[in-house]
Amino acid sequence: MVAPATLRVVRCGGSTLHGARAVFSADSYLLCASGDFVKMYSVATEETLRVMGGHGDLVTGIQLNPHNHMQLYSSSVDGTIKLWDFMDGIPIKTFTVGSKLLALYALASYEDAVFVVIPKSGERDTFQLVSVKLTKAAGQDLEAKELSVVLDGVDASPKRIAFGREGEYVASVKEADLQVYFFKQKQLNRFSVSAVKTKSGNNHFTCIACHPAEDCIATGHADGKIRLWRNFYHKKEYTFSTLHWHHDTVMDLAFSIEGTSLLSGGVESVLVLWHNESDCQKDFLPRLGSAIEYISMSSDGALCCTLHTDNRITIINSNLRFSKSIQGLIKSTDVKTGLVVDPRTKALVLNGEPGHLQFYCLQSDQQLFSLDIVQRQYIHQAGLNQADLVKVAFSAQGKWLATVEEREEVTDPELQLKLWFYDEETQSFKLNTRINMPHEDHITDMCFRDMDELEDDSLILVTAGRDCVFKVWMMVEDTDPEAQQSVSWSCDFVGSYHNYQATNCCFSEDGSLLAVSFEETVTVWDSVTWDLKCTFCHPPGKIRNICFGRLTCSKYLIGATDYGFLCCWNLLSCALEWSAHLNILVLQPDPLSEHIAAVSWLSKESSLFVFKPSEPRPIYIQRNLCKEKIQLAAFVPRDEPEMIGSEKYLWLRRSQLFFLTDTQELMTLSTKSLEERLTPSSKQLAVEESLPVTPFSLLLGKHRRQQSQEDIDLGKLVHNKHEQDSPAVKELLHTPAHVLPSASFLCPIFINSLLISKENKSAEEVADEVEMESEETEDDSNEERDVTEMEQEDTSPMELLGEMTCKLSKSQEKELRKIRKMDYSWISAF
């Protein structure tokens, strides 16, 4: 019996890439901690090659095994250290430490130990650097309880601890204190800087790096300064020099492999290369997009990479030239646009870089492209009121895009409504119409009328605002002969209701009705005449979300209030059909079915309810969906309907539901296992398990399937040894090379697996085989075998019917062969 698939919440994008410093492998792969997973990227192609899942919580550190560069250590808040064969994505061992692990360090000078940062037991917000002994016992799941404290009172951040030359000492910074511990001498030296606040900030330490060949420590500070410490073996005779370029916090430091230069990064989005520890000799790589969180160097010094606060990875050459950018789901300061699906590409569209729209591909976990909406230079400085993108809407076919940008002002907000047309030639959106101040106050919602068959003729855009009106915008022909486009947009109708603020708007599925919520009241309008048809009121509580039912439930209107009610109104009877007491934050209809997903927030947990408006009882309920607060959701149509075994999950057959949490992590519901769901293009499943994944093998596999089908149709019994499952061959081909036993041990097993087992045969069958072998030595052996096969095919059905057939003696068979050899062509002359 196979257990039915269960619905699981899976992180599928947006997980913080800057949770730990990235690592370059020896063969040009980049490994990053991303949420609960470790991701492996190709530096050459920027492709996500592998996603390694197994940790039960946030991954806090990754380090190459110093004694085997094809293996990787990872630590997690779940209290485990995993050793991976990252080329195959296989966890080799799991060491359970039992305490939260907040950082990980692996050194070549310590063969059977790693260093981790853990919380100090019994004390709050106090952390220790400890050494963990990794046992070499057999088995995959092991306990690592042998801990020894190295430093007390360290910071939880992984970039505030660094190990010195060949692991001789470890340095740690916290607030205004620097402490250095020497392992051989067992000596601890403490240093401090003045914590006096200045105009540019304070002197607190923010990061640390140790010179790879010399006794030199570089520290970054909150006021933008970098200090280089020397002679720190002596408590009082130490010296330091200062480098200063950053105007704000130095967020990370890294020495080059030889130690001849130092790299630094911060909130300015500029990578600074300091030569020979000199304040005068420095180079810059500016405009990297967002604040630099981590800097990593490759082992050969040819590449470095920067991890940014918006989830971007930038690959940079050693000569400080930009090489590549790996971009997943950009983390913006606030997703004001909501989750919108591009009808053309099925990509998720939401706020990206400041003033930009990002088009995010769900299959590859990468950004397709970024569209600059605001088209102004963004200044990375807190406190500035800068124009930002707040609303987005697509027309049904994706030909038109509407955006709203605003500058947050206390008294007089600046608003712009822009209409963009998709240009097939350039394969991008072009600005068609710009409308300054479309409303006198903030725009709260916006939607297109979705009428596929009449999109160009009767396309309508509706905007709702806090200025107590909703406006209808329509396309008109541009009469200006110098105009670059033939059509533009203008306001066609303005509606209001008792001077209440308009909060939400949406069209019915056929586009005939428009629903606009005005605080506690929902109004329904005819979209042709703009007559008010009916109103629905459910005080107390303002309407938070509204949506129409679809398909067989199109006669219903659903609304959620901020006082915790979910209401369903019948448009035919103009009455309340049913209501439920739920604190709904998200209300999302599926565009391809009658189902509606509602997400509630109660007692610090999010719950999911899936229902049809025609039935007050939910089809599916998932309590404690996740502990994060879900802010947005979107149904994304599948390319092909999914085969779903369980009836209660049929609502996921045609569309997939995605959530965005308040920490901007993208989650989805899946009935598949992690391995099935996260299958990159570089690791596609083979057509047959025994065949390698190459174009030729795929073609050969197809040919073999056709051939075997033909053999079955002809009634022949085909024995193919390669199609039989051989455990020895499977183990040999699917086990990683570095854990295989010696070749001398495997060879006999492999040879024996290729041998065909000898069956017991009767004496007559053996005699016939010997006779056949002797006959094959003659010149006409091929022709004789053909005749023999024909005779067998002819006689076999007769034997089945119970009739006896006469066999020729050997002398008669020889006579027949002589007759066959005779030339009878002379008969044709007569």
Side-chain angles (χ1 to χ4, degrees):
M1 292 289 292
V2 179
T6 57
L7 210 57
R8 302 183 310 111
V9 178
V10 184
R11 284 183 174 89
C12 56
S15 296
T16 305
L17 287 170
H18 56 265
R21 192 173 273 112
V23 172
F24 282 96
S25 72
D27 39 10
S28 296
Y29 296 115
L30 185 66
L31 297 142
C32 297
S34 176
D36 299 357
F37 308 109
V38 179
K39 290 186 177 179
M40 185 170 81
Y41 299 94
S42 167
V43 174
T45 65
E46 308 170 25
E47 184 186 10
T48 306
L49 297 178
R50 192 155 288 109
V51 178
M52 290 173 276
H55 283 294
D57 211 327
L58 202 67
V59 176
T60 54
I62 54 172
Q63 292 278 307
L64 287 178
N65 184 352
H67 308 285
N68 185 342
H69 290 291
M70 303 303 288
Q71 295 177 354
L72 180 83
Y73 285 113
S74 66
S75 65
S76 171
V77 179
D78 66 3
T80 63
I81 298 171
K82 286 185 179 289
L83 178 64
W84 301 87
D85 171 9
F86 60 83
M87 293 304 295
D88 292 324
I90 299 171
I92 302 169
K93 287 184 183 293
T94 301
F95 302 95
T96 303
V97 181
S99 180
K100 287 184 178 180
L101 309 180
L102 305 172
L104 174 71
Y105 310 91
L107 303 180
S109 52
Y110 294 86
E111 188 172 353
D112 58 347
V114 294
F115 295 87
V116 294
V117 174
I118 63 171
K120 189 174 182 179
S121 59
E123 295 186 32
R124 192 175 180 181
D125 295 332
T126 308
F127 306 96
Q128 296 174 314
L129 176 69
V130 300
S131 169
V132 180
K133 186 175 177 61
L134 302 180
T135 175
K136 292 186 176 180
Q140 192 169 2
D141 296 317
L142 304 168
E143 288 197 354
K145 302 293 186 183
E146 195 174 329
L147 310 179
S148 57
V149 179
V150 178
L151 277 177
D152 217 342
V154 301
D155 197 281
S157 172
K159 55 188 174 186
R160 292 179 185 171
I161 294 175
F163 286 82
R165 176 169 50 92
E166 297 177 359
E168 289 187 7
Y169 59 89
V170 59
S172 166
V173 293
K174 184 179 181 182
E175 296 178 351
D177 297 317
L178 163 67
Q179 51 182 342
V180 184
Y181 179 75
F182 303 93
F183 288 99
K184 288 183 180 178
Q185 296 87 349
K186 295 184 178 179
Q187 176 187 347
L188 178 63
N189 290 350
R190 296 178 184 272
F191 311 96
S192 63
V193 295
S194 172
V196 177
K197 290 188 177 181
T198 62
K199 290 182 180 179
S200 59
N202 57 49
N203 289 335
H204 281 182
F205 291 96
T206 55
C207 54
I208 188 169
C210 292
H211 197 287
E214 299 175 9
D215 292 331
C216 174
I217 297 173
T219 58
H221 297 261
D223 58 0
K225 292 180 182 177
I226 300 169
R227 287 183 169 88
L228 296 169
W229 302 73
R230 293 186 181 275
N231 205 25
F232 44 80
Y233 285 92
H234 306 284
K235 289 186 178 181
K236 295 183 179 180
E237 298 176 10
Y238 68 92
T239 61
F240 67 80
S241 57
T242 304
L243 307 174
H244 195 187
W245 177 85
H246 297 277
H247 82 276
D248 210 324
T249 303
V250 180
M251 298 186 75
D252 201 18
L253 294 167
F255 278 99
S256 62
I257 298 302
E258 301 84 6
T260 55
S261 58
L262 175 68
L263 290 162
S264 66
V267 296
E268 303 88 358
S269 309
V270 178
L271 185 65
V272 185
L273 178 66
W274 307 84
H275 297 281
N276 302 317
E277 302 168 12
S278 170
D279 207 357
C280 302
Q281 301 178 25
K282 53 184 177 288
D283 292 320
F284 305 95
L285 181 61
R287 293 184 291 276
L288 293 178
S290 65
I292 297 171
E293 188 78 33
Y294 284 99
I295 304 171
S296 302
M297 296 293 299
S298 63
S299 57
D300 58 0
L303 296 171
C304 85
C305 91
T306 54
L307 269 62
H308 300 259
T309 52
D310 67 351
N311 262 11
R312 187 196 315 270
I313 304 171
T314 306
I315 311 293
I316 299 161
N317 292 326
S318 57
N319 59 357
L320 216 63
R321 297 296 179 197
F322 175 86
S323 176
K324 294 198 171 54
S325 178
I326 300 170
Q327 180 63 73
L329 185 66
I330 292 180
K331 291 205 167 194
S332 59
T333 53
D334 190 13
V335 182
K336 300 174 182 176
T337 61
L339 282 187
V340 185
V341 180
D342 178 15
R344 189 177 297 274
T345 61
K346 302 295 188 294
L348 275 186
V349 181
L350 63 158
N351 289 100
E353 297 176 45
H356 289 65
L357 262 188
Q358 62 170 320
F359 289 69
Y360 171 74
C361 179
L362 293 159
Q363 286 72 31
S364 62
D365 186 24
Q366 285 186 331
Q367 182 180 298
L368 293 178
F369 63 96
S370 179
L371 183 63
D372 188 357
I373 302 295
V374 174
Q375 297 178 347
R376 296 181 194 174
Q377 183 66 38
Y378 185 84
I379 302 170
H380 292 271
Q381 184 174 336
L384 292 180
N385 290 331
Q386 303 180 74
D388 200 6
L389 184 63
V390 293
K391 297 294 174 190
V392 169
F394 283 94
S395 63
Q397 298 297 321
K399 291 181 182 178
W400 287 94
L401 166 67
T403 61
V404 175
E405 59 196 67
E406 67 179 34
R407 184 195 299 272
E408 187 71 44
E409 296 288 348
V410 178
T411 55
D412 189 18
E414 293 182 17
L415 301 174
Q416 273 199 352
L417 172 64
K418 291 180 179 177
L419 279 302
W420 307 74
F421 179 74
Y422 188 81
D423 188 353
E424 295 287 351
E425 291 183 5
T426 59
Q427 294 288 296
S428 64
F429 285 95
K430 283 188 174 180
L431 183 60
N432 176 272
T433 305
R434 180 191 285 110
I435 303 166
N436 288 315
M437 294 304 295
H439 286 257
E440 294 178 7
D441 205 339
H442 296 288
I443 293 177
T444 55
D445 203 3
M446 177 172 62
C447 63
F448 277 98
R449 182 165 70 176
D450 291 336
M451 298 177 68
D452 297 349
E453 69 276 3
L454 300 173
E455 181 168 357
D456 291 331
D457 298 333
S458 60
L459 194 61
I460 293 174
L461 174 71
V462 172
T463 57
R466 289 186 196 167
D467 56 354
C468 305
V469 299
F470 71 90
K471 292 187 177 182
V472 178
W473 307 85
M474 297 188 71
M475 278 192 295
V476 293
E477 291 189 8
D478 203 325
T479 55
D480 186 357
E482 297 181 1
Q484 294 181 353
Q485 59 266 351
S486 58
V487 296
S488 60
W489 291 75
S490 66
C491 183
D492 183 67
F493 178 78
V494 179
S496 63
Y497 183 78
H498 293 295
N499 207 30
Y500 292 143
Q501 288 186 355
T503 52
N504 296 277
C505 61
C506 66
F507 277 99
S508 60
E509 187 178 15
D510 62 356
S512 62
L513 296 176
L514 169 70
V516 183
S517 64
F518 289 89
E519 298 184 16
E520 297 180 355
T521 307
V522 180
T523 60
V524 181
W525 305 72
D526 188 321
S527 67
V528 178
T529 61
W530 301 116
D531 293 333
L532 179 62
K533 290 295 183 183
C534 63
T535 60
F536 300 112
C537 187
H538 189 80
K542 292 182 180 180
I543 302 296
R544 185 181 280 166
N545 294 300
I546 55 171
C547 69
F548 280 95
R550 292 178 179 271
L551 302 176
T552 60
C553 299
S554 58
K555 65 180 180 179
Y556 298 104
L557 177 65
I558 312 297
T561 71
D562 57 4
Y563 272 75
F565 281 94
L566 180 66
C567 308
C568 177
W569 292 284
N570 191 320
L571 295 168
L572 299 181
S573 62
C574 294
L576 181 67
E577 189 82 5
W578 55 264
S579 67
H581 190 56
L582 289 169
N583 182 32
I584 299 299
L585 296 183
V586 178
L587 194 64
Q588 187 63 41
D590 179 9
L592 299 181
S593 71
E594 298 94 342
H595 300 109
I596 297 175
V599 180
S600 70
W601 174 253
L602 188 65
S603 303
K604 295 185 178 181
E605 68 176 42
S606 295
S607 300
L608 171 67
F609 300 87
V610 180
F611 63 94
K612 288 184 179 180
S614 57
E615 302 171 12
R617 187 181 297 275
I619 294 169
Y620 178 78
I621 300 175
Q622 175 73 52
R623 301 280 183 185
N624 194 13
L625 185 69
C626 67
K627 292 181 180 178
E628 294 92 347
K629 193 174 185 177
I630 292 175
Q631 289 186 321
L632 302 165
F635 274 102
V636 179
R638 299 183 190 272
D639 294 330
E640 293 181 4
E642 182 138 329
M643 298 299 293
I644 304 242
S646 179
E647 235 178 81
K648 62 179 180 178
Y649 304 141
L650 285 177
W651 58 276
L652 282 172
R653 186 170 178 267
R654 300 190 66 186
S655 301
Q656 190 170 359
L657 184 60
F658 291 87
F659 306 103
L660 195 71
T661 66
D662 54 355
T663 57
Q664 292 190 36
E665 287 202 74
L666 190 65
M667 299 180 174
T668 186
L669 293 170
S670 176
T671 56
K672 292 182 177 181
S673 66
L674 180 69
E675 291 74 18
E676 288 178 300
R677 195 186 60 78
L678 293 168
T679 305
S681 58
S682 59
K683 194 186 176 186
Q684 294 173 352
L685 295 174
V687 175
E688 295 180 9
E689 267 194 343
S690 58
L691 294 176
V693 186
T694 62
F696 178 73
S697 68
L698 292 171
L699 184 63
L700 180 62
K702 184 177 180 182
H703 171 70
R704 284 186 173 179
R705 285 200 304 275
Q706 290 176 348
Q707 191 176 24
S708 63
Q709 186 63 40
E710 289 171 2
D711 292 344
I712 292 169
D713 294 341
L714 290 171
K716 294 181 180 179
L717 186 62
V718 179
H719 293 283
N720 189 348
K721 183 63 184 173
H722 295 287
E723 290 177 358
Q724 298 177 6
D725 292 331
S726 170
V729 176
K730 270 191 175 182
E731 287 297 322
L732 185 65
L733 295 177
H734 291 82
T735 306
H738 61 274
V739 295
L740 281 174
S742 63
S744 59
F745 176 79
L746 291 172
C747 190
I749 301 174
F750 178 66
I751 295 298
N752 288 331
S753 70
L754 297 178
L755 296 176
I756 301 172
S757 58
K758 189 174 181 180
E759 300 173 359
N760 295 326
K761 298 180 181 179
S762 62
E764 291 181 4
E765 287 175 335
V766 173
D768 290 341
E769 285 180 7
V770 172
E771 183 65 31
M772 184 177 287
E773 288 175 7
S774 64
E775 290 170 358
E776 284 177 359
T777 58
E778 300 180 16
D779 295 336
D780 59 344
S781 58
N782 291 334
E783 186 178 349
E784 179 193 1
R785 282 201 302 274
D786 294 340
V787 174
T788 307
E789 286 179 5
M790 288 174 64
E791 288 176 353
Q792 288 176 352
E793 287 176 7
D794 290 339
T795 57
S796 177
M798 298 299 290
E799 289 175 359
L800 290 173
L801 292 171
E803 297 185 15
M804 297 297 293
T805 55
C806 299
K807 287 188 176 181
L808 298 175
S809 64
K810 288 184 173 53
S811 59
Q812 290 173 327
E813 287 179 358
K814 288 180 180 178
E815 287 294 325
L816 279 175
R817 281 198 288 275
K818 288 178 182 177
I819 294 170
R820 276 207 315 272
K821 289 179 182 179
M822 293 179 68
D823 186 10
Y824 296 101
S825 59
W826 55 272
I827 298 176
S828 60
F830 298 98

